[in-house]
Amino acid sequence: MSLVGNWSYPTAIKFGAGRISELPGACADAGITRPLLVTDKGLAPLPITQSTLDILDAAGLGRGLFADVDPNPNEKNLEAGVKAYLEGGHDGVIAFGGGSGLDLATALAFMVGQTRPIWDFEDVGDWWTRADPDGIHPIVAVPTTAGTGSEVTWVSVLTSESHEKKAVYAPQLLPDVALLDAKLTLGMPRHITAATALDAMVHAIEAVTSRTRKNPISDGMADKALVLLGQNLPIVMETPSDLSAREAMLLGATLAGMAFINASVGAIHALSYPLG
């Protein structure tokens, strides 16, 4: 049997409980000295966000925060974020939270250096010929859910003014650093834990059944993701404070993200756009 496939992965991944303390170093690795932490409205006032801002402040990186992000991030959120970024003189983004915050942060880091509207880059294979490559600002991604895998994907999904979900794809949108600290997921409500886990499992299932770009590496990651998620979801549902199981869930979601962004997804995600 001949094995053929492509794999691209420049994101540096730092995994382990308590590693949020290394956020200033992750920013330095990405070349960020004045970060803007981007998250959603619900997460912004919570202790995990405030303690993260304290870490940045103690390291002399400021307390830049943008949290005007809806559950389905949209054009208005993006425009407001770009304005806040430019007015604050920031030089990089910390994408903090679940898929909403991470997707908006990724688009923001891209659009602050572009002159064309966001939808000029929607779902087109040659978008980079239209973009200013020097206009892509660095990103450090810090997920607080074990679901979307957005910390290791090159896609940003936004809702247009016409209420359509649209996606911008390209490897250049990958975060420079992904910092995975399962302690940040301990406070997730039970229903969000379940919903995000199912999202990650569907990513893995669609990756391994993809008819477009699946390959032996994505298959291996998807298989491992399903094992980690399937074995540990019942544990975290029963015992939400089980850090070991939370770590396995976070790792599973990240592996599923790495699998699907290379292998592609299928009809389930296609249907979710109009339903969403």
Side-chain angles (χ1 to χ4, degrees), residues 245-270:
R246 290 283 188 185
E247 286 181 319
M249 294 293 293
L250 184 57
L251 180 57
T254 298
L255 289 174
M258 295 171 75
F260 91 76
I261 201 62
N262 276 277
S264 189
V265 287
I268 296 173
H269 270 74

Side-chain angles (χ1 to χ4, degrees), residues 62-121:
R63 300 181 66 87
L65 173 67
F66 177 76
D68 187 13
V69 181
D70 294 314
N72 285 306
N74 54 58
E75 285 184 82
K76 289 184 178 179
N77 297 158
L78 179 59
E79 290 170 2
V82 169
K83 182 180 179 182
Y85 184 97
L86 295 174
E87 290 181 349
H90 300 285
D91 62 356
V93 166
I94 297 171
F96 189 86
S100 300
L102 270 63
D103 275 10
L104 194 283
T106 300
L108 192 163
F110 173 61
M111 288 305 296
V112 290
Q114 306 303 322
T115 58
R116 303 179 65 138
I118 182 69
W119 304 127
D120 275 13
F121 309 106

Side-chain angles (χ1 to χ4, degrees), residues 23 26-30 32 92-96 105 138-142 175-179:
L23 183 56
C27 287
D29 290 345
I32 301 173
V93 166
I94 297 171
F96 189 86
I139 306 166
V140 174
V142 185
D176 299 84
V177 182
L179 201 160

Side-chain angles (χ1 to χ4, degrees), residues 4-226:
V4 179
N6 299 311
W7 190 261
S8 173
Y9 238 90
T11 300
I13 299 174
K14 301 177 183 292
F15 183 89
R19 296 196 72 173
I20 189 63
S21 64
E22 299 176 29
L23 183 56
C27 287
D29 290 345
I32 301 173
T33 61
R34 299 181 304 280
L36 178 66
L37 190 147
V38 178
T39 191
D40 63 73
K41 297 173 181 176
L43 197 60
L46 297 184
I48 59 170
T49 305
Q50 295 305 309
S51 62
T52 300
L53 290 170
D54 289 343
I55 291 170
L56 294 173
D57 200 15
L61 296 175
R63 300 181 66 87
L65 173 67
F66 177 76
D68 187 13
V69 181
D70 294 314
N72 285 306
N74 54 58
E75 285 184 82
K76 289 184 178 179
N77 297 158
L78 179 59
E79 290 170 2
V82 169
K83 182 180 179 182
Y85 184 97
L86 295 174
E87 290 181 349
H90 300 285
D91 62 356
V93 166
I94 297 171
F96 189 86
S100 300
L102 270 63
D103 275 10
L104 194 283
T106 300
L108 192 163
F110 173 61
M111 288 305 296
V112 290
Q114 306 303 322
T115 58
R116 303 179 65 138
I118 182 69
W119 304 127
D120 275 13
F121 309 106
E122 181 208 353
D123 199 16
V124 289
D126 66 341
W127 75 266
W128 54 85
T129 66
R130 312 177 188 188
D132 177 3
D134 295 327
I136 303 173
H137 290 215
I139 306 166
V140 174
V142 185
T144 61
T145 65
T148 67
S150 297
E151 67 277 5
V152 288
T153 65
W154 55 74
V155 58
S156 178
V157 179
L158 300 174
T159 301
S160 70
E161 290 185 354
S162 58
H163 305 291
E164 296 175 278
K165 274 197 170 184
K166 299 183 179 182
V168 175
Y169 291 91
Q172 290 86 343
L173 294 179
L174 272 170
D176 299 84
V177 182
L179 201 160
L180 311 182
D181 183 348
K183 284 187 175 181
L184 301 178
T185 70
L186 287 173
M188 274 197 297
R190 198 167 185 269
H191 70 283
I192 295 179
T193 296
T196 53
L198 289 176
D199 186 23
M201 294 175 79
V202 170
H203 287 158
I205 292 168
E206 289 193 78
V208 83
T209 57
S210 169
R211 298 181 62 183
T212 55
R213 301 197 309 271
K214 66 171 283 176
N215 58 72
I217 301 175
S218 63
D219 282 353
M221 289 188 164
D223 289 346
K224 182 64 174 178
L226 282 170

Side-chain angles (χ1 to χ4, degrees), residues 216-238:
I217 301 175
S218 63
D219 282 353
M221 289 188 164
D223 289 346
K224 182 64 174 178
L226 282 170
V227 170
L228 290 169
L229 294 163
Q231 289 180 348
N232 288 279
L233 178 56
I235 297 173
V236 297
M237 294 300 287
E238 183 69 26

